[in-house]
């Protein structure tokens, strides 16, 4: 027992720990613990007053038992008693117990705070530190309230000991992070900045963390720290390795402090003052130079400490992105690390180079390392290093090296870890499209992608290749030939069948001249895959078959035979059956001309931004995709009638596009037999006959939610508009009830027939919580040209909800069935009642809602004007009361309200903290119901 | 900044857990198990860094003990890696050739060492001389 032999331990504790360690089984351990708990309990309850030593020992045993994973429900009072002991060892155990087993028992909190208060004013530095560490470890709201004003005083007082200053600085940081509203800026702030000049390096080390955090929130107030940090850094960097004595670590002067200084500087743009800037550039050059000097020690600690500073300096250089010379030097340095024998350095170099690749000054320099990076992708043993290599290849890719990089990434995919395949697939797809010079290369790449990693090829990827093939007639023949060849493989991925079905259905004629790919061969090839495919793919193949009948009349008999067989025409899947029946009928009764018109080649898709990028971004979060690239890509809103260049008389587009509100849904039509649904007006009468009244092939409409978010903070306006139809809404809410008026305006001069609207509550909304009663009166089936009709919707909120009801609208315009689905802007905040309250009430309630689940927080970039009046209007529109003079920071907004549902009332408090400098917000919600906090936070984060 | 510090042995027994972020007890237990699972499968050729949820773990193995620090993804890997080593050297000096049992029997002192060197999730003091001097002074107190 080493501890006992050191002579200062608590003997009883050591014996107890030994006993526990000697227990042979879990049961024995529990038995021993229960015995000990009984013993301690009796000691605490006994009439004999315990001396401090015993109390300390027992509390310490309890703590040990707790750390073993057992519940402790007593001893808190004894621990609190230890706080007021005047012996260090007893106090320390008391504070440790409190810090580890934080208890929100209010009675105790008062006693604890009292003890802390005494220790803070004791002028005994040891006791003061213990108290400060306890506050820093617990960091509760109550402690912030009690001490947030006291600690700054201790921090800047002239007679405070250095070690106490260190603790005070970080203690204050903790309080500022947990309760920023309680830490008020004041006269102490300027003095804190000057701690950067303190002669005690430990004080600087601690204080700089506080200063960095404060600077991020209040950059202007703290900007004097820049020149102070530069001069401090300069002194460290230029010092000889022994100057700083205690703070030299393996011959590196103050590595951690240097890193923190460099990081503080990253809160600011490059210094404006020429002299300061010059000095800083000198520092950065010195750091880069030192990396080239022979090491002063062979120990890894030496090189790690040195490189920690180097990487932080490189981060600063990248952050400034204004010194081409330094950027290129940084890149060269990282290039050396790419081949270093230390895996850590190779990893960090790849990571850091990824950000360098997006700077215009260093992009070319990064590219020179391509061979090394490819080699890393092939040979690194650690998957996380390979992942970084793949990220870097993606970041350094441009037109000049795309073919090489894509080829390498493809070959890596064959052996890549499953965890990263989907992301790799997206990256390859994006690069192939972005840098495609000839589209045959693009088609080859995507088909290879499907072959190698078909399971990881998402819909976005294969939709996209079809879009591109359809839009470029120079590649259609090649695509048909290639996909035909790919389908020859005995086992080919279902995604390949989908692409093959679609492309041959459209462009199979381009290769039909070759007897090896004659129409019948093509059909047989496709049909040989049919039975192995899932229902959606089979549906797609059926559509391809009907297209074949049009393209190659000689296949008609064979295909009709297939359609007619029981497994198709009586298929248990209603979609397949329906297609088989309709296609069979269509092919038997329509004339060749009509067939040709109905089954015409798909018109080009409107050129749009690739939805794959968006998918990658969503998947990976910022970082993996270079952010600039994503921001550069202009995003086109998904207007409903994407094909604005074509008149509505091309009903083919009107029908298939009506279902494609978002770029990613562009090809949804494929799955729902768009080729047929796209009925031209001229054939209208016939089609109505064929398909009867209901028009069964209405494309399954994707939900349009463009308008939805615009109505979170307002109740009236235009929800939706395209070339045919405008939908306006007006709504009013009281308590848990609401009424919404919907106005449908026919913008054309032609009558809309069979106009029907249905409101539905998707999934959970309906079956699970049944939150809303929606009563709608049916609308008139005919809407005359230029007319407007009105519909009323009554809404009752039963309980809180997060989904939105859907409004589906179907009508006939000309011969074509229009089908669209909109998200109705009924959001939980509509049932807010504003609540006025005073500052003290607000904070009291805020505190009461302190369970972590009750809070939802989001930090996000401003998307709209940060103007005060605009913000106020939005917050009022939200339905809450906007409370003045509550938040100590006048820049912040606080709101309060109660959500009225039928079953319960949910109290909500909101705090919005704008940061104009950074163009960011922090939004915090605390509600008595977790799900409400989360939902409101999601909704609101999109509003500002 | 630091989200938590863990010292675990190869079998997954926790020798120190210091939290700088609010987690409830179940969550803490889950984190402890997850960290153990991701760290122990790695060998010496791997980096000392692992992506972990929205954070990363910087770790180093000393004999049978893993010292793990969970930090934000943007934090400086090498600075924390050496932060671990600096901490270990202090423990080694303080306990005269530290071994796992020292951490078990003196768990309450290990917390003191941690608080001297790391506080509120930040590095508080890096000078081994200063930390040890302070620890010896505290040791001499009753």
């Amino acid at each position: 027992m080493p501890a006992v032999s050191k002579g200062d331990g608590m003997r009883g504790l050591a014996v107890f720990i030994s006993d526990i360690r000697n227990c042979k089984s879990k049961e024995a351990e529990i038995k021993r613990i229960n015995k000990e708990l009984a013993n301690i309990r009796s000691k605490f309850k006994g009439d004999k007053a315990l001396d401090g030593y015993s109390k300390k020992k027992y509390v310490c045993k309890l703590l040990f038992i707790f750390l073993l994973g057992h519940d402790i429900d007593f001893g808190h009072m004894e621990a609190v008693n230890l706080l007021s002991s005047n012996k260090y060892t007893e106090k320390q155990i008391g504070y440790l117990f409190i810090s580890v087993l934080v208890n929100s028992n209010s009675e105790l909190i008062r006693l604890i705070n009292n003890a802390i208060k005494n220790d803070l004013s004791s002028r005994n530095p040891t006791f003061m530190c213990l108290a400060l560490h306890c506050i820093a470890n617990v960091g509760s709201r109550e402690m912030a309230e009690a001490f947030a004003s006291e600690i700054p005083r201790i921090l800047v007082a002239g007679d405070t000991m250095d070690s106490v200053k260190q603790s005070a600085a970080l203690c204050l940081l903790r309080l500022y992070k947990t309760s920023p509203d309680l830490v008020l800026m004041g006269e102490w702030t300027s003095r804190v900045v000057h701690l950067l000049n303190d002669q005690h390096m430990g004080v600087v080390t601690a204080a700089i963390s506080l200063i960095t955090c404060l600077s991020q929130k209040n950059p202007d107030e703290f900007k004097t720290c820049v020149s102070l940090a530069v001069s401090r850094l300069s002194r460290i960097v230029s010092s000889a390795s022994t100057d700083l004595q205690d703070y030299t670590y393996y011959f590196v002067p103050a590595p951690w402090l240097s890193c923190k200084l460099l990081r503080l500087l990253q809160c600011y743009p490059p210094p404006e003052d020429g002299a300061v800037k010059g000095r800083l550039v000198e520092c950065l050059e010195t750091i880069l130079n030192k990396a080239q000097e022979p090491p002063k020690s062979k120990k890894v600690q030496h090189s790690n400490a040195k490189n920690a500073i180097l990487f932080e300096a490189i981060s600063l250089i990248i952050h400034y992105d204004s010194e081409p010379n330094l950027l290129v030097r940084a890149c060269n340095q990282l290039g050396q690390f790419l081949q270093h024998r230390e895996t850590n350095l190779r990893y960090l170099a790849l990571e850091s180079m990824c950000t360098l690749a997006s700077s215009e000054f260093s992009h070319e320099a990064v590219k020179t390392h391509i061979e090394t990076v490819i080699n890393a992708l092939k040979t690194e043993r650690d998957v996380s290093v390979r992942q970084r290599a793949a990220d870097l290849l993606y970041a350094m890719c441009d037109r000049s090296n795309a073919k090489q990089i894509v080829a390498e990434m493809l070959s890596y995919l064959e052996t890549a870890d499953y965890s990263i395949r989907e992301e790799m697939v997206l990256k390859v797809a994006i690069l192939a499209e972005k840098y495609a010079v000839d589209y045959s290369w693009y088609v080859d790449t995507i088909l290879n992608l499907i072959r190698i990693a078909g399971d990881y090829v998402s819909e976005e990827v294969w939709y996209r290749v079809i879009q591109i093939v359809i839009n470029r007639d120079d590649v259609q023949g090649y695509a048909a030939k290639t996909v035909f060849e790919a389908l020859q493989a005995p086992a080919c991925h279902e995604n390949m069948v989908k692409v093959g079905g679609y492309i041959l259905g459209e462009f199979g004629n381009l290769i039909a001249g070759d007897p090896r790919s004659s129409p019948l061969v093509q059909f047989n090839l496709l049909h040989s895959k049919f039975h192995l495919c899932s229902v959606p793919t089979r549906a797609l193949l059926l559509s391809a078959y009907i297209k074949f009948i049009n393209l190659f009349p000689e296949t008609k008999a064979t295909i009709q035979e297939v359609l007619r067989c029981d497994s198709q025409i009586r298929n248990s899947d209603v979609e397949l059956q329906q297609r088989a029946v309709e296609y069979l009928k269509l092919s038997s009764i329509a004339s060749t001309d009509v067939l040709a018109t109905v089954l015409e080649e798909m018109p080009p898709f409107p050129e749009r931004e690739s939805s794959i990028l968006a998918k990658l971004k969503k998947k990976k979060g910022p970082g993996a995709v270079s952010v600039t690239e994503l921001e550069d890509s202009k995003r086109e809103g998904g207007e409903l009638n994407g094909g604005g260049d074509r008149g509505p008389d091309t009903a083919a587009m009107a029908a298939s596009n009506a279902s494609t509100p978002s770029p990613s849904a562009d090809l949804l039509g494929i799955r729902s037999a768009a080729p047929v649904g796209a009925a031209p007006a001229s054939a209208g009468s016939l089609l109505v006959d064929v398909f009867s009244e209901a028009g069964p092939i209405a494309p399954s409409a994707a939900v349009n939610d463009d308008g939805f978010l615009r109505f979170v903070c307002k109740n009236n306006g235009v929800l939706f508009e395209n070339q045919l139809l405008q939908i306006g809404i007006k709504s009013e809410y009281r308590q848990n009830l609401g009424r919404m008026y919907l106005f449908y305006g026919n913008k054309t001069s032609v009558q809309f027939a069979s106009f029907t609207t249905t409101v539905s509550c998707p999934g959970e909304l309906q079956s699970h919580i049944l939150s809303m009663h929606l009563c709608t009166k049916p609308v008139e089936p005919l809407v005359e040209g230029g007319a407007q009709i009105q519909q009323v919707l009554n809404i009752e909120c039963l309980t809180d909800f997060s989904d939105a009801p859907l409004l589906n609208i179907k009508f006939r315009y000309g011969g074509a069935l229009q089908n669209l689905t909109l998200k109705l802007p009924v959001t939980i905040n509509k049932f807010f009642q504003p609540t006025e309250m005073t500052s003290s009430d607000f904070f009291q309630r805020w505190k009461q809602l302190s369970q972590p689940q009750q809070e939802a927080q989001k930090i996000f970039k401003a998307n709209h004007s940060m103007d005060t009046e605009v913000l106020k209007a939005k917050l009022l529109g939200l339905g809450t009361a906007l409370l003045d003079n509550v938040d100590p920071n006048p820049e912040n907004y606080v709101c309060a309200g109660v959500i009225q549902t039928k079953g319960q009332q949910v109290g909500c408090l909101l705090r919005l903290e704008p940061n104009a400098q950074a163009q960011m917000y922090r939004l915090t919600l605390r509600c008595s119901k977790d799900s409400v906090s989360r939902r409101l936070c999601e909704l609101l984060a999109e509003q500002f | 900044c630091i989200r938590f510090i863990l010292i675990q042995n190869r079998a997954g027994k926790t020798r120190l857990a210091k939290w700088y972020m609010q987690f409830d007890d179940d969550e803490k237990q889950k984190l402890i198990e997850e960290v153990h699972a991701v760290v122990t499968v790695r060998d010496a050729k791997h980096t000392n860094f692992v992506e972990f949820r929205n954070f990363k773990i910087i770790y180093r193995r000393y004999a049978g003990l893993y010292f793990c620090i969970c930090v934000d993804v943007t934090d400086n890997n090498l600075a924390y890696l050496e932060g671990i080593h600096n901490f270990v050297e202090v423990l080694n000096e303080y306990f005269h050739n530290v071994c796992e049992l020292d951490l078990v029997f003196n768990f309450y002192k290990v917390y003191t060492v941690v608080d001297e060197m790391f506080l509120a999730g930040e590095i508080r003091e890096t000078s081994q001389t200063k930390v040890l001097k302070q620890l010896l002074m505290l040791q001499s107190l009753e």
Side-chain angles (χ1 to χ4, degrees):
Chain A
M1 286 185 299
V4 181
S5 66
K6 293 206 170 102
D8 59 316
M10 292 165 267
R11 174 131 197 113
L13 174 70
V15 170
F16 175 59
I17 295 176
S18 291
D19 284 359
I20 295 287
R21 290 180 54 79
N22 290 334
C23 286
K24 295 276 185 286
S25 65
K26 194 81 202 159
E27 292 69 39
E29 183 184 307
I30 290 172
K31 211 171 141 203
R32 179 65 185 89
I33 285 170
N34 285 336
K35 185 179 147 202
E36 193 63 40
L37 286 174
N39 170 42
I40 299 172
R41 205 177 262 122
S42 76
K43 290 285 199 277
F44 284 169
K45 276 207 188 125
D47 357 304
K48 212 167 65 182
L50 288 175
D51 61 8
Y53 172 82
S54 309
K55 223 184 267 173
K56 166 181 89 171
K57 184 180 70 187
Y58 293 131
V59 168
C60 202
K61 281 181 179 176
L62 285 177
L63 186 57
F64 183 78
I65 294 170
F66 175 78
L67 291 172
L68 282 178
H70 302 269
D71 284 339
I72 294 296
D73 55 5
F74 69 103
H76 300 83
M77 201 53 185
E78 284 73 14
V80 173
N81 285 340
L82 286 175
L83 300 183
S84 44
S85 161
N86 51 16
K87 290 188 174 142
Y88 166 75
T89 54
E90 292 169 15
K91 231 185 227 312
Q92 189 250 327
I93 296 295
Y95 273 122
L96 180 58
F97 186 94
I98 302 296
S99 303
V100 174
L101 278 109
V102 222
N103 195 300
S104 50
N105 184 319
S106 60
E107 189 57 23
L108 281 181
I109 286 287
R110 212 172 44 77
L111 293 172
I112 294 166
N113 278 357
N114 228 358
I116 291 177
K117 202 174 189 150
N118 288 336
D119 282 334
L120 286 183
S121 51
S122 69
R123 310 186 74 80
N124 174 333
T126 306
F127 291 178
M128 289 173 85
C129 279
L130 276 179
L132 289 167
H133 293 181
C134 180
I135 302 173
N137 284 325
V138 177
S140 67
R141 185 85 198 165
E142 289 82 1
M143 287 189 177
E145 276 166 356
F147 305 111
S149 54
E150 175 66 14
I151 293 165
R153 268 203 291 279
I154 297 176
L155 177 58
V156 298
D159 56 351
T160 303
M161 299 272 291
D162 290 330
S163 65
V164 177
K165 273 190 199 163
Q166 284 174 278
S167 300
L170 293 173
C171 182
L172 188 56
L173 170 62
R174 173 72 199 254
L175 295 185
Y176 185 72
K177 281 187 176 169
T178 49
S179 310
D181 53 306
L182 294 178
V183 178
L184 305 180
M185 300 296 126
E187 172 266 342
W188 59 276
T189 33
S190 59
R191 299 175 64 182
V192 162
V193 177
H194 284 275
L195 290 176
L196 287 173
N197 268 335
D198 203 285
Q199 40 178 311
H200 189 289
M201 302 267 276
V203 172
V204 190
T205 304
I208 193 167
S209 294
L210 173 66
I211 295 167
T212 305
C213 180
L214 292 169
S215 301
Q216 279 160 350
K217 292 270 302 194
N218 323 276
D220 285 340
E221 223 164 313
F222 286 86
K223 62 171 180 271
T224 49
C225 72
V226 172
S227 61
L228 291 173
V230 170
S231 63
R232 188 89 208 197
L233 180 69
S234 157
R235 270 180 282 156
I236 296 172
V237 170
S238 56
S239 66
S241 56
T242 48
D243 281 2
L244 303 173
Q245 294 166 0
D246 291 358
Y247 288 88
T248 298
Y249 178 82
Y250 288 89
F251 305 103
V252 181
W256 294 281
L257 179 51
S258 305
C259 288
K260 285 188 177 194
L261 286 162
L262 288 161
R263 188 147 281 232
L264 169 60
L265 292 171
Q266 289 170 58
C267 301
Y268 290 92
E272 280 157 22
D273 181 327
V276 177
K277 172 130 187 232
R279 208 164 170 200
L280 177 56
V281 169
E282 216 170 277
C283 286
L284 295 171
E285 280 170 345
T286 312
I287 293 170
L288 287 165
N289 290 342
K290 279 191 181 173
Q292 296 298 328
E293 288 170 10
K296 294 196 176 66
S297 153
K298 287 212 162 61
K299 290 247 167 62
V300 70
Q301 283 77 18
H302 171 71
S303 74
N304 279 349
K306 208 163 106 174
N307 292 330
I309 303 172
L310 179 62
F311 277 108
E312 204 61 65
I314 292 177
S315 292
L316 182 62
I317 292 170
I318 296 172
H319 167 77
Y320 287 163
D321 197 16
S322 60
E323 300 284 326
N325 173 37
L326 289 175
L327 282 160
V328 170
R329 284 195 64 186
C331 184
N332 293 340
Q333 181 58 52
L334 295 175
Q336 289 184 19
F337 285 159
L338 287 181
Q339 317 221 37
H340 202 278
R341 60 186 167 77
E342 284 266 327
T343 316
N344 286 343
L345 284 181
R346 296 198 302 276
Y347 174 91
L348 294 171
L350 288 165
E351 186 181 64
S352 192
M353 245 191 203
C354 228
T355 43
L356 271 179
S358 56
S359 163
E360 53 167 320
F361 302 115
S362 47
H363 182 78
E364 286 304 317
V366 170
K367 273 168 60 186
T368 59
H369 300 285
I370 184 165
E371 296 302 334
T372 320
V373 182
I374 286 173
N375 197 41
L377 186 65
K378 287 178 175 162
T379 57
E380 284 288 352
R381 285 189 46 195
D382 185 338
V383 52
S384 59
V385 186
R386 293 198 297 274
Q387 173 78 67
R388 291 289 155 269
D391 288 346
L392 178 52
L393 284 178
Y394 180 78
M396 66 162 71
C397 191
D398 61 21
R399 213 166 280 286
S400 72
N401 55 20
K403 282 202 175 173
Q404 185 187 10
I405 286 179
V406 165
E408 294 296 348
M409 286 173 106
L410 270 175
S411 76
Y412 175 59
L413 250 179
E414 309 212 28
T415 53
D417 304 74
Y418 296 108
S419 55
I420 62 172
R421 282 194 184 181
E422 189 183 351
E423 193 191 320
M424 291 287 297
V425 166
L426 290 173
K427 284 183 168 169
V428 170
I430 290 167
L431 294 179
E433 179 182 342
K434 199 166 166 195
Y435 300 115
V437 187
D438 63 289
Y439 278 87
S440 53
W441 172 72
Y442 169 76
V443 169
D444 283 341
T445 304
I446 302 296
L447 294 186
N448 268 329
L449 210 50
I450 295 175
R451 214 174 26 233
I452 295 168
D455 282 346
Y456 300 90
V457 172
S458 58
E459 285 183 337
E460 285 87 348
V461 174
W462 75 262
Y463 284 2
R464 190 68 185 161
V465 68
I466 286 173
Q467 272 180 29
I468 286 177
V469 170
I470 288 187
N471 287 11
R472 315 208 128 246
D473 42 21
D474 52 335
V475 77
Q476 290 161 352
Y478 182 80
K481 180 170 161 284
T482 323
V483 77
F484 176 80
E485 279 160 11
L487 286 172
Q488 310 273 348
C492 66
H493 196 273
E494 187 163 339
N495 280 333
M496 189 70 88
V497 179
K498 290 179 183 162
V499 175
Y502 201 104
I503 288 185
L504 293 180
E506 294 291 326
F507 310 115
N509 55 324
L510 301 176
I511 58 168
D514 187 329
R516 284 166 300 176
S517 52
S518 71
L520 221 53
V521 174
Q522 288 185 39
F523 170 75
N524 286 332
L525 180 60
L526 279 179
H527 198 54
S528 69
K529 315 283 180 193
F530 187 91
H531 300 280
L532 298 169
C533 291
S534 61
V535 168
T537 308
R538 290 186 194 190
L540 183 148
L541 286 177
L542 289 178
S543 298
Y545 297 169
I546 185 74
K547 288 225 151 193
F548 265 51
I549 292 182
N550 174 47
L551 286 182
F552 317 115
E554 66 267 39
T555 60
K556 182 167 167 178
T558 317
I559 291 174
Q560 282 184 334
E561 196 61 36
V562 167
L563 293 175
R564 201 175 290 128
C565 78
D566 276 358
S567 65
Q568 307 294 358
I569 212 158
R570 300 207 173 149
N571 196 295
S572 60
D573 184 272
V574 64
E575 175 73 28
L576 292 181
Q577 187 187 107
Q578 189 174 346
R579 285 190 191 212
V581 171
E582 283 163 4
Y583 293 166
L584 187 58
K585 190 83 178 160
L586 178 65
S587 67
S588 1
I589 65 169
S591 71
T592 332
D593 282 356
V594 170
L595 260 192
T597 326
V598 174
L599 300 169
E600 203 177 22
E601 188 180 302
M602 286 295 281
F605 287 86
E607 284 297 342
R608 280 183 179 146
E609 191 54 43
S610 163
S611 55
I612 307 178
L613 256 184
K615 163 121 180 180
L616 180 64
K617 188 182 179 192
K618 206 160 75 192
K619 198 174 147 39
K620 222 2 219 218
V625 190
S626 83
V627 179
T628 44
E629 172 189 28
L630 283 168
E631 283 165 357
D632 286 346
S633 65
K634 59 172 194 301
R635 320 218 93 248
E636 220 177 295
E639 23 121 44
L640 199 76
N641 249 331
D645 46 334
R646 269 170 305 278
D649 54 329
T650 324
M653 282 317 291
S656 65
N657 266 6
S659 67
T660 60
S662 75
S664 62
D666 267 346
L667 285 153
L668 275 179
I670 313 176
R671 278 193 302 189
S672 41
V676 182
S682 58
S685 56
L686 176 77
L687 277 171
V688 173
D689 285 345
V690 173
F691 294 136
S692 81
E693 179 56 31
I697 319 230
S700 66
V703 176
N704 180 309
D705 60 3
D706 289 354
F708 180 76
L709 284 172
R710 283 184 285 117
F711 284 85
V712 172
C713 294
K714 65 174 187 177
N715 288 333
N716 306 327
V718 174
L719 178 63
F720 170 81
E721 180 157 30
N722 67 6
Q723 291 155 333
L724 309 178
L725 176 73
Q726 184 192 57
I727 304 174
I729 58 168
K730 223 172 121 174
S731 42
E732 50 201 34
Y733 294 88
R734 238 190 77 241
Q735 309 275 1
N736 69 322
L737 300 175
R739 177 169 294 164
M740 182 180 279
Y741 297 89
L742 291 154
F743 303 91
Y744 305 94
N746 181 344
K747 290 171 66 182
T748 70
S749 51
V750 181
Q751 186 189 64
F752 290 166
S754 315
F755 193 90
T756 54
T757 64
T758 356
V759 175
S760 60
C761 294
E764 206 177 61
L765 198 56
Q766 183 176 35
S767 60
H768 193 57
I769 44 174
L770 197 77
S771 332
M772 310 201 319
H773 278 318
L774 290 158
C775 310
T776 51
K777 283 213 204 100
V779 289
E780 292 295 315
L782 292 179
V783 186
E784 295 301 334
Q788 187 185 61
I789 55 166
Q790 183 184 332
Q791 184 179 27
V792 188
L793 227 110
N794 288 316
I795 302 162
E796 183 180 7
C797 175
L798 299 180
T799 162
D800 71 289
F801 60 95
S802 24
D803 256 332
L806 299 177
L807 171 67
N808 178 266
I809 301 149
K810 286 197 185 109
F811 60 95
R812 286 187 175 281
Y813 169 70
L817 183 68
Q818 306 287 325
N819 181 359
L820 67 110
T821 304
L822 304 171
K823 252 190 185 178
L824 278 182
V826 181
T827 47
I828 184 68
N829 63 290
K830 300 294 180 196
F831 305 96
F832 256 132
Q833 298 287 115
T835 317
E836 293 290 346
M837 56 177 81
T838 63
S839 175
S840 61
D841 280 347
F842 181 87
F843 283 114
Q844 193 193 345
R845 283 175 210 206
W846 184 263
K847 250 190 309 180
Q848 284 163 354
L849 298 172
S850 62
Q851 289 172 33
Q853 326 80 275
Q854 290 176 325
E855 182 179 280
Q857 191 173 70
K858 223 172 198 162
I859 296 171
F860 53 90
K861 264 219 143 3
N863 286 318
H864 302 282
S865 157
M866 294 187 82
D867 179 74
T868 319
E869 292 312 311
V870 176
L871 286 181
K872 279 188 178 167
K874 283 187 182 167
L875 288 167
L876 286 171
L878 179 68
T880 50
L882 182 59
L883 307 177
D884 282 324
N885 303 321
V886 168
D887 198 296
N889 182 346
E891 302 297 325
N892 295 344
Y893 300 89
V894 291
C895 302
V898 175
I899 288 179
Q900 308 277 349
T901 72
K902 191 176 183 196
Q904 96 189 110
Q905 301 194 329
V906 184
C908 307
L909 302 176
L910 173 155
R911 185 145 182 254
L912 181 69
E913 299 160 86
N915 180 341
Q917 174 90 15
Q919 288 286 304
M920 301 280 285
Y921 290 101
R922 174 158 71 185
L923 171 70
T924 314
L925 276 141
R926 288 191 177 186
C927 305
S928 55
K929 203 162 172 190
D930 321 345
S931 50
V932 176
S933 302
R934 283 197 304 274
R935 180 57 182 160
L936 285 174
C937 196
E938 280 165 30
L939 283 172
L940 286 174
E942 306 289 333
Q943 299 299 317
F944 301 103
Chain B
C1 60
I2 305 175
R3 301 309 176 135
F4 57 81
I5 300 177
L6 284 180
I7 306 178
Q8 301 176 314
N9 67 14
R10 291 189 63 193
K13 274 223 161 34
T14 306
R15 294 311 181 198
L16 171 87
K18 180 82 191 175
W19 309 94
Y20 296 101
M21 207 178 150
Q22 291 291 338
F23 299 107
D24 62 31
D25 288 347
D26 290 347
E27 187 65 15
K28 285 179 185 173
Q29 193 49 41
K30 237 178 28 213
L31 286 165
I32 286 172
E33 286 161 19
E34 275 178 47
V35 170
H36 181 249
V38 298
V39 163
T40 44
V41 295
R42 300 173 63 83
D43 67 29
K45 289 268 186 215
H46 286 96
T47 62
N48 293 84
F49 327 124
V50 208
E51 286 177 28
F52 183 80
R53 299 190 179 185
N54 292 327
F55 307 106
K56 63 188 174 192
I57 305 276
I58 315 283
Y59 74 97
R60 194 179 250 170
R61 184 178 160 178
Y62 295 86
L65 287 181
Y66 289 90
F67 286 69
C68 308
I69 293 192
C70 177
V71 294
D72 293 340
V73 278
T74 53
D75 280 328
N76 187 314
N77 297 42
L78 292 176
Y80 282 107
L81 184 58
E82 285 318 304
I84 293 176
H85 189 73
N86 200 30
F87 174 56
V88 171
E89 288 193 350
V90 167
L91 288 177
N92 199 43
E93 195 67 31
Y94 181 52
F95 288 112
H96 306 290
N97 290 327
V98 68
C99 68
E100 188 175 345
L101 279 191
D102 291 320
L103 306 186
V104 176
F105 282 93
N106 297 290
F107 69 95
Y108 56 97
K109 289 185 189 163
V110 179
Y111 280 101
T112 306
V113 183
V114 173
D115 280 351
E116 284 297 320
M117 301 186 74
F118 305 95
L119 193 64
E122 297 287 341
I123 294 175
R124 175 183 179 274
E125 179 57 85
T126 62
S127 156
Q128 294 185 17
T129 321
K130 289 235 162 61
V131 173
L132 286 165
K133 213 169 118 197
Q134 176 73 4
L135 289 173
L136 290 180
M137 188 278 286
L138 294 177
Q139 187 84 350
S140 70
L141 296 175
E142 215 187 320

